[in-house]
């Protein structure tokens, strides 16, 4: 790689993996020139590109021209974005009924695999339609109308995407809160959208751990009452091993699924919604601070979800079995579980449990059981499985797999290679998809039959996405460069506002660089025009005048065979300005030692350069992560600078005990 600023990028070899013939032959987009041609068209004539895609779906009323109206420049007036103005559609109709009407009623929509082995269910498209209609009828029976909010707090069971679709069917706005958040965090999110109805379950198991969902909802609603908001209705799915909820049901407020939903008619007319009608609110992961309530709307989101799922995973619905491990509590579980695959009529696996339960081979046993062809997960899971050793993988066949995906964080080249070689046996391209809750759909990503891959690189922009790289003064950089990643024009699935706080929307995304959407991420563009996400701009390290992305140093550490995961932060340094402080998690079986510490430091010196060498290696049996598995570097910064008494909002931290563990290991 050449032409980067600051960092000697031999950190990442310029190694390319070409799409295998078998993948190219069946791909919707074959070869890089075809991608480039379509990409150019998507920018030069968005009306014709997006109309053609949108016409794959059903609309009650078509849109007027131009297909997108917008202003992204705060100096020109309020920021606004609209797509498919004048059009009307219904997302649930497109995701469910449309497939049933096309004769696919008996096709499996979900193979549901429960937390415990042997617990499973199959849901066809017609069964899904009935389920969605019954939930929609229940919601209507308690007064939910177009535009009303409904909060969900559940495990990943088919009823969760069905409840999301039920809201979409009647024009209600869902807000799914990951069923792992505490009562306080749930209460915050309920207070932000003030729903009258909360949908939950009695409880669920996550790995070996019981999650008493209903009890947590009870606590959250009590907190909400204390703050002036009363939720009128709680719908409770009776789920093993907590099915006995009798003692906790609050008369007049709580009803069980059996009494309230099962008896509903299984037909429910759809509400035709304007393209810009709100579809859902979803809070960001909170890696960098207090989560933002991101609002997505109907038409553009629907088209974005469908088109990216189709091209990026190259789904051929009649033969593929697709599995995305994300929970519906995250954007990935919205776009690439609840909406995208169903819009294509695809068959997917829904897995309630965790990849390491009952052991680290669970994913591959599920892949073999359902003959999964497309598998999409997060770097945190890949690194956790890598740490457990290859045997958990290789004892399963995995011969059905043809495509892999990654999302959520930069994937270190070392983890990429393990995923590619050990999990995919060198035959399955990896789609490293960069995107955000805010973007609604993939933004920078390879396409399976078109894009030569480079380990650890999200590669090229998706259709209609026009990225740019800015320097700190806001100048657009040309050619190979490194700086801030921004997007120059709206794309259909872009967020429209921060729920209830349009000023915060403008402030967060449009005030730093006028006229651009600011992603908050840093990136490097190489000589091939490929984009490498280098980490969050807020986390950038500045050592003796060199600006270094966290991903760069972390990947260098992970390239050492004993290191499975690393997180680096900057701490104040009298001479260098900042110095690099590294938290390192070792492979199962590797032991901390001074010799290993020296080896790790010298690995970074070799791979990047002496200026990037960490001053401190802090052994970390675990790292503070969000509940979606992202490393929270701002918490690590506080630990490194001995300010753990000032952690700020840590309501999205998955395991708060990690903080004390790391404090105890400081200086060891
Ligand atoms: P918050 O905005 O509250 O801090 P968050 O940014 O973690 O939370 P998400 O929207 O879930 O919330 O995450 C989007 C971010 O995840 C991106 O901005 C980027 O930093 C990171 N990310 C996602 N996918 C990739 C990827 N393939 N490569 C690199 N980074 C990625
Ligand atoms: Mg973010």
């Amino acid at each position: 790689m050449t032409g980067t600023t600051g960092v000697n990028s031999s950190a990442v070899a310029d190694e390319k993996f070409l799409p295998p013939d078998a993948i190219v032959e069946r791909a919707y987009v074959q070869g890089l020139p075809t991608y480039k041609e379509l990409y150019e068209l998507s920018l030069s004539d968005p009306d014709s590109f997006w109309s053609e895609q949108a016409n794959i779906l059903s609309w009650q009323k078509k849109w007027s021209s131009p297909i997108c109206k917008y202003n992204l420049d705060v100096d020109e007036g309020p920021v606004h974005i609209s797509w498919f103005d004048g059009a009307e559609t219904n997302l649930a109709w497109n995701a469910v009924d449309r497939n049933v009407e096309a004769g696919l009623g008996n096709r499996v929509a979900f193979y549901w695999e429960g937390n415990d082995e042997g617990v499973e269910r199959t849901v066809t498209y017609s069964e899904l339609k009935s389920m969605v209609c019954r939930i929609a009828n229940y919601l209507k029976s308690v007064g939910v109308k177009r535009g009303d909010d409904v909060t969900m707090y559940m495990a990943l069971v088919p009823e969760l995407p069905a409840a999301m679709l039920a809201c979409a069917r009647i024009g209600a706005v869902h807000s799914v809160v990951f069923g792992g958040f505490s009562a306080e965090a749930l209460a915050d999110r309920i207070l932000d959208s003030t729903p009258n109805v909360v949908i939950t379950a009695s409880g669920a198991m996550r790995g070996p751990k019981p999650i008493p969902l209903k009890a947590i909802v009870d606590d959250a609603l009590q907190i909400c009452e204390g703050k002036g908001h009363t939720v009128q209705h709680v719908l409770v799915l009776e789920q093993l091993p907590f099915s006995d909820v009798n003692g906790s049901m609050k008369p007049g407020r709580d009803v069980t699924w059996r009494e309230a939903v099962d008896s509903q008619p299984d037909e429910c007319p759809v509400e035709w919604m304007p393209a810009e009608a709100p579809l859902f609110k979803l809070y960001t992961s909170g890696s960098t601070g207090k989560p933002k309530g991101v609002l997505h709307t109907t038409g553009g989101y629907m088209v974005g979800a469908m088109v990216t799922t189709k091209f990026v995973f190259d789904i051929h619905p009649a033969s593929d079995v697709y599995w995305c491990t994300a929970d519906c509590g995250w954007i990935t579980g919205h776009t690439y579980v609840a909406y995208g695959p169903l819009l294509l009529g695809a068959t997917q696996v829904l897995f309630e449990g965790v990849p390491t339960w009952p052991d680290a081979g669970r994913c591959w046993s599920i892949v073999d059981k359902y003959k999964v062809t497309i598998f999409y997960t997060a770097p945190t899971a890949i690194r956790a499985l890598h740490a457990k050793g290859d045997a958990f993988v290789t004892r399963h066949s995995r011969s059905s797999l043809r495509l892999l995906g990654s999302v959520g964080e930069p994937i270190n080249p070392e983890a990429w290679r393990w995923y590619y070689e050990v999990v995919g046996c060198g035959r399955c391209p990896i789609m490293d998809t960069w995107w955000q809750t805010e973007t609604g759909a993939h933004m920078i990503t390879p396409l399976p039959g078109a894009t030569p891959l480079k380990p650890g690189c999200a590669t090229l922009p998706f259709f209609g996405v026009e990225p740019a790289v800015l320097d700190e003064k806001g100048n657009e950089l040309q050619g190979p460069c490194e700086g801030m990643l921004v997007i120059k024009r709206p794309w259909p699935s872009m967020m429209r506002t921060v729920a209830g706080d349009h000023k915060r929307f403008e402030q967060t995304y449009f005030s730093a660089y006028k006229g651009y959407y600011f992603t908050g991420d840093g990136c490097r563009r190489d000589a091939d025009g490929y984009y490498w996400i280098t980490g969050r701009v807020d986390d950038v390290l500045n050592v003796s005048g060199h600006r270094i992305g966290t991903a760069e140093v972390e990947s260098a550490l992970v390239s050492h065979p004993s290191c499975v995961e690393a997180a680096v932060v900057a701490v104040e340094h009298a001479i260098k300005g900042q110095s690099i402080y590294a938290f390192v998690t070792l492979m199962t079986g590797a032991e901390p030692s001074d010799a290993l510490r020296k080896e790790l430091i010298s690995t970074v010196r070799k791979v990047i350069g002496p200026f990037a060498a960490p001053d401190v290696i802090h052994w970390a049996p675990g790292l503070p992560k969000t509940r979606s598995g992202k490393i929270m570097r701002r918490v690590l910064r506080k630990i490194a600078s001995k300010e753990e008494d000032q952690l700020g909002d840590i309501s999205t931290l998955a395991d708060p005990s990690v903080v004390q563990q790391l404090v105890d290991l400081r200086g060891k």
Side-chain angles (χ1 to χ4, degrees):
M1 198 98 14
T2 53
T4 60
T5 55
V7 176
N8 162 7
S9 315
S10 60
V12 212
D14 194 1
E15 182 185 12
K16 281 188 198 166
F17 292 75
L18 298 178
D21 291 344
I23 297 283
V24 179
E25 275 158 25
R26 58 181 295 178
Y28 294 117
V29 181
Q30 303 184 339
L32 204 54
T34 314
Y35 155 78
K36 286 191 170 150
E37 209 174 291
L38 269 170
Y39 177 71
E40 290 309 325
L41 173 73
S42 73
L43 295 189
S44 63
D45 190 356
D47 278 68
S48 83
F49 179 86
W50 288 111
S51 292
E52 188 180 330
Q53 299 304 328
N55 277 325
I56 296 171
L57 299 164
S58 298
W59 302 76
Q60 183 70 1
K61 241 169 90 186
K62 289 287 170 81
W63 47 93
S64 56
S65 182
I67 207 159
C68 172
K69 301 188 185 110
Y70 69 95
N71 169 47
L72 303 186
D73 188 341
V74 282
D75 290 344
E76 302 282 309
V79 173
H80 69 88
I81 301 117
S82 73
W83 282 83
F84 305 104
D85 252 354
E88 283 181 10
T89 187
N90 185 285
L91 229 160
W93 200 88
N94 272 290
V96 185
D97 305 47
R98 200 173 109 263
N99 295 313
V100 175
E101 298 210 350
L104 305 178
N106 291 328
R107 181 177 285 173
V108 172
F110 299 126
Y111 286 119
W112 179 74
E113 170 86 4
N115 181 70
D116 291 327
E117 282 177 307
V119 179
E120 59 194 40
R121 266 164 80 189
T122 296
V123 181
T124 65
Y125 272 90
S126 348
E127 288 164 346
L128 179 61
K129 185 183 161 197
S130 307
M131 200 190 288
V132 170
C133 287
R134 283 197 292 262
I135 303 169
N137 284 324
Y138 159 75
L139 290 171
K140 284 184 8 185
S141 77
V142 295
V144 176
K145 302 179 304 303
R146 289 163 79 113
D148 289 350
D149 287 283
V150 176
T151 297
M152 286 146 209
Y153 183 74
M154 302 175 83
L156 191 50
V157 289
E159 284 79 1
L160 175 52
M164 296 161 74
L165 289 158
C167 288
R169 189 171 197 93
I170 60 171
V173 182
H174 57 73
S175 161
V176 185
V177 180
F178 173 58
F181 276 116
S182 64
E184 291 77 25
L186 172 60
D188 280 349
R189 287 158 182 72
I190 291 175
L191 287 166
D192 197 74
S193 55
T194 59
N196 265 331
V197 183
V198 172
I199 304 182
T200 188
S202 45
M205 297 294 293
R206 184 166 298 120
K209 208 172 143 210
I211 315 281
L213 295 163
K214 171 64 165 60
I216 296 168
V217 168
D218 287 341
D219 291 348
L221 295 191
Q222 203 168 354
I223 298 172
C224 292
E225 280 195 22
K227 297 189 174 169
H229 178 69
T230 303
V231 168
Q232 311 286 344
H233 303 279
V234 178
L235 173 62
V236 186
L237 177 73
E238 305 97 315
Q239 216 189 314
L240 290 169
F242 296 87
S243 2
D244 185 16
V245 284
N246 285 334
S248 80
M249 296 297 278
K250 190 170 164 192
R253 187 194 72 179
D254 302 350
V255 285
T256 63
W257 203 275
R258 203 172 314 139
E259 58 193 4
V261 176
D262 287 351
S263 55
Q264 295 287 343
D266 57 9
E267 290 289 341
C268 172
V270 303
E271 289 284 329
W272 297 111
M273 302 301 291
E276 283 302 332
L279 176 68
F280 65 84
K281 291 172 188 171
L282 181 65
Y283 297 83
T284 54
S285 312
S287 309
T288 55
K290 193 175 155 51
K292 300 167 269 288
V294 167
L295 184 94
H296 282 286
T297 57
T298 305
Y301 176 82
M302 172 172 81
V303 173
M306 186 276 289
V307 171
T308 49
T309 311
K310 175 175 168 181
F311 288 119
V312 175
F313 298 119
D314 205 55
I315 294 190
H316 297 263
S319 55
D320 274 317
V321 177
Y322 162 94
W323 179 21
C324 165
T325 63
D327 189 274
C328 284
W330 312 117
I331 189 67
T332 306
H334 280 58
T335 310
Y336 300 110
V337 177
Y339 290 115
L342 297 178
L343 285 165
L344 296 172
T347 295
Q348 62 181 317
V349 172
L350 274 189
F351 174 43
E352 187 190 28
V354 295
T356 45
W357 172 262
D359 66 36
R362 185 70 186 276
C363 287
W364 323 121
S365 116
I366 295 174
V367 163
D368 284 354
K369 178 170 172 184
Y370 299 104
K371 304 276 174 286
V372 171
T373 56
I374 303 163
F375 178 76
Y376 188 32
T377 196
T380 181
I382 297 165
R383 293 188 294 250
L385 297 178
H386 183 192
K388 305 271 183 198
D390 297 0
F392 285 109
V393 186
T394 52
R395 70 170 184 236
H396 300 279
S397 143
R398 291 156 290 120
S399 59
S400 55
L401 285 175
R402 61 180 196 84
L403 206 66
L404 301 172
S406 170
V407 58
E409 286 178 293
I411 174 167
N412 321 107
E414 208 50 41
W416 193 100
R417 282 197 188 84
W418 182 81
Y419 196 29
Y420 187 80
E421 277 151 24
V422 179
V423 174
C425 298
R427 133 189 122 243
C428 309
I430 298 175
M431 300 301 106
D432 177 1
T433 59
W434 175 84
W435 60 296
Q436 308 176 302
T437 308
E438 295 89 337
T439 70
H442 298 148
M443 297 292 279
I444 297 181
T445 173
L447 300 183
T451 319
L453 307 175
K454 302 184 190 185
C457 180
T459 75
L460 296 168
F462 188 75
F463 304 129
V465 174
E466 192 181 5
V469 185
L470 305 184
D471 67 15
E472 269 163 290
K473 296 194 189 78
N475 302 309
E476 252 185 63
L477 301 169
Q478 304 301 321
C481 56
E482 181 161 352
M484 252 113 17
L485 178 62
V486 297
I487 314 289
K488 291 177 78 165
R489 59 163 98 186
W491 56 98
S493 62
M494 182 177 192
M495 76 184 286
R496 300 300 195 253
T497 191
V498 169
D501 197 348
H502 199 67
K503 277 273 161 288
R504 187 171 178 206
F505 175 60
E506 295 183 329
Q507 186 64 36
T508 311
Y509 306 102
F510 302 96
S511 66
Y513 306 102
K514 302 284 160 63
Y516 299 96
Y517 168 80
F518 177 46
T519 66
D521 287 339
C523 84
R524 182 171 71 239
R525 186 168 54 212
D526 70 17
D528 292 322
Y530 276 37
Y531 292 83
W532 300 74
I533 306 299
T534 52
R536 318 250 178 185
V537 172
D538 294 349
D539 291 336
V540 160
L541 315 159
N542 196 330
V543 183
S544 311
H546 298 281
R547 289 174 61 80
I548 314 167
T550 49
E552 213 110 32
V553 183
E554 289 161 5
S555 292
L557 288 163
V558 173
S559 75
H560 188 284
S562 297
C563 170
V564 71
E565 190 159 57
V568 300
V569 296
V571 290
E572 298 308 312
H573 187 280
I575 296 149
K576 296 192 265 193
Q578 291 186 333
S579 70
I580 299 179
Y581 190 113
F583 294 83
V584 167
T585 305
L586 298 178
M587 286 287 199
T588 308
E591 290 298 327
S593 69
D594 282 341
L596 181 54
R597 189 173 262 137
K598 284 196 187 112
E599 274 181 43
L600 286 164
I601 294 172
S602 84
T603 303
V604 180
R605 295 175 75 92
K606 256 194 298 226
V607 176
I608 305 180
F611 66 90
D615 281 14
V616 179
I617 300 279
H618 186 139
W619 305 116
L623 291 167
K625 292 186 178 176
T626 62
R627 284 184 171 78
S628 60
K630 293 168 198 259
I631 298 167
M632 280 167 94
R633 288 180 191 74
R634 67 185 175 83
V635 168
L636 291 173
R637 250 189 313 267
K638 293 291 177 199
I639 296 173
S641 47
K642 303 196 173 79
E643 293 168 348
E644 60 272 8
D645 52 330
Q646 305 161 34
L647 291 178
D649 179 7
I650 50 164
S651 63
T652 65
L653 194 62
D655 176 8
S657 72
V658 169
V659 173
Q660 193 53 48
Q661 196 180 32
L662 289 176
V663 169
D664 294 344
L665 282 166
R666 197 164 43 206
K668 300 263 163 67

